Amino acid sequence: QVQLVESGGGLVQAGGSLTLSCAASGTISSINSMDWFRQAPGKQRELVASLSDGGITYYLDAVKDRFTISANKDKSTLYLRMNGLKPEDTAVYYCNYLQSYGAYLSWGRGTQVTVSS
């Protein structure tokens, strides 16, 4: 099975930037989208950004104009550039790929992003 490994999280002050990476083992094909999620303490996991196989992007309103999703050409690495970070962005961030038949891959461990005020 494909393994997902998130990295790049850390502790930053408000207004700072981070770039998260998601490494997927093997070759992934027949996917619908490549997605970033986050889960804050006491809250449900929410979709932050999505990149469709056709190159269309989606962003959660709360992060629009601050975050940018991208991927390398073979789709083995997914990125999330995070600018102008706010304390409200503090969460564990996860990546995942939505397969063409409608199922996500197994979840990775995520990477912690903590934004101090």
Side-chain angles (χ1 to χ4, degrees):
Q1 292 185 330
V2 175
Q3 300 291 316
L4 299 173
V5 180
E6 299 92 344
S7 62
L11 174 63
V12 298
Q13 63 182 14
S17 298
L18 285 173
T19 298
L20 307 183
S21 297
C22 171
S25 64
T27 301
I28 299 177
S29 60
S30 300
I31 62 171
N32 184 277
S33 64
M34 296 161 279
D35 305 329
W36 281 100
F37 297 81
R38 68 185 182 187
Q39 187 168 29
K43 296 184 178 180
Q44 296 185 54
R45 182 162 52 208
E46 63 182 350
L47 180 66
V48 174
S50 179
L51 176 62
S52 77
D53 192 54
I56 306 301
T57 58
Y58 160 84
Y59 296 96
L60 182 70
D61 284 345
V63 309
K64 191 175 182 180
D65 300 323
R66 297 190 295 118
F67 292 9
T68 303
I69 188 171
S70 62
N72 64 354
K73 292 183 65 177
D74 68 1
K75 305 173 184 177
S76 63
T77 309
L78 185 66
Y79 303 96
L80 185 67
R81 177 63 176 172
M82 310 164 69
N83 295 320
L85 284 163
K86 304 175 180 180
E88 305 94 278
D89 297 318
T90 296
V92 178
Y93 284 72
Y94 302 88
C95 65
N96 215 322
Y97 290 16
L98 180 62
Q99 299 171 87
S100 60
Y101 60 92
Y104 282 104
L105 300 171
S106 296
W107 296 92
R109 297 190 180 102
T111 184
Q112 176 72 50
V113 173
T114 302
V115 185
S116 64
S117 60

